[in-house]
Amino acid sequence: MKEFSRAAEVRPRNEGSDAETGERRAEFDADLDAQWSVGDKLHGGYVLAVMARAAARTASPAHPHPVAVSATFLRAPKPGPVVISVDVLREGRSVSQLHARMSQDGRPMVDALICQERLGDADPWWSAEPPAELPDRQDCVLVGKEPPGGGFPVPLMEVVEEHIDPGVLGFAAGEPSRRGLVQGWQRLADGTDWDPCSLLVALDMVPPASFDLALPGRAPTIQLTAYIRRLPAPGPVRVRMQATDVGGGRMDETVHVWDSKDRLVAQGSQLAAVRMPS
């Protein structure tokens, strides 16, 4: 499924209230698509986007957009059927707070706290983060299913068009800059514009910043926190991922996303596992 809207589709299963707390609860079925994978593992941002879709279907219609997502990846879900349960913790005037859990074969896979509001498209009142300085999109390197320096296929690159800044591609030639930096342009291959849910995909950039530190291989997400700041303008987004600290088999990364109007539309941080040199 190249279309994000279909790959992230959720189907209502049942809805009710918890007998003890009275909290409203809803359950959804979804089919995770293998094309949205890195190697043989589903992309973490895609998995969160599916969960955010379920939360949006459950929250008050006054709060249609995810604005804060904090997720813990307990296990890696496999492509195929999953069940997403969503509990409404609180519905206030300006925000709904929900708890979402994805399960597969009766086992919990991903647990997330999600805040929902109604986003606008106004410019920020103040911002300290200037947009990433990138060459024009046509002057960057289009990443294919077999990405430079990857060592394993990335089917995700057939559904997300990513143009990497050639200035950070030294790792592909065995000469990483060791700045722990990866940046480039992203757009959905189906031609649709980014929305608050799909921006969760953009926030989990491929390849990880560890490639620029001469640490090849997958960097599976352990925990990811994301903020969606405003409705993105149509067009591709710029993404910058920067590692901050690596050690003990763990790496933290900070990600910023700007839209075609040079406004910060999403930001996130994640803790990932990395294989350290022996």
Side-chain angles (χ1 to χ4, degrees), residues 11 16 19 33 43 46 52 67-68 78 82 86 88 108 149 165 175 204 221 230 238 273:
R11 303 179 300 279
D33 185 358
H43 181 254
Y46 161 66
V67 296
K78 298 178 180 178
V82 293
V86 182
V88 178
D165 178 0
E175 298 178 354
D204 193 10
T221 303
R230 54 189 47 83
R238 304 187 211 188

Side-chain angles (χ1 to χ4, degrees), residues 5-50:
S5 60
R6 293 182 59 204
E9 183 180 16
V10 296
R11 303 179 300 279
R13 197 180 206 196
N14 58 61
E15 186 172 356
S17 299
D18 186 280
E20 295 183 2
T21 65
E23 294 172 350
R24 188 158 56 84
R25 164 174 287 190
E27 286 189 335
F28 300 85
D29 290 305
D31 293 304
L32 300 182
D33 185 358
Q35 193 161 24
W36 295 73
S37 298
V38 178
D40 60 352
K41 302 296 184 183
L42 286 164
H43 181 254
Y46 161 66
V47 171
L48 279 191
V50 177

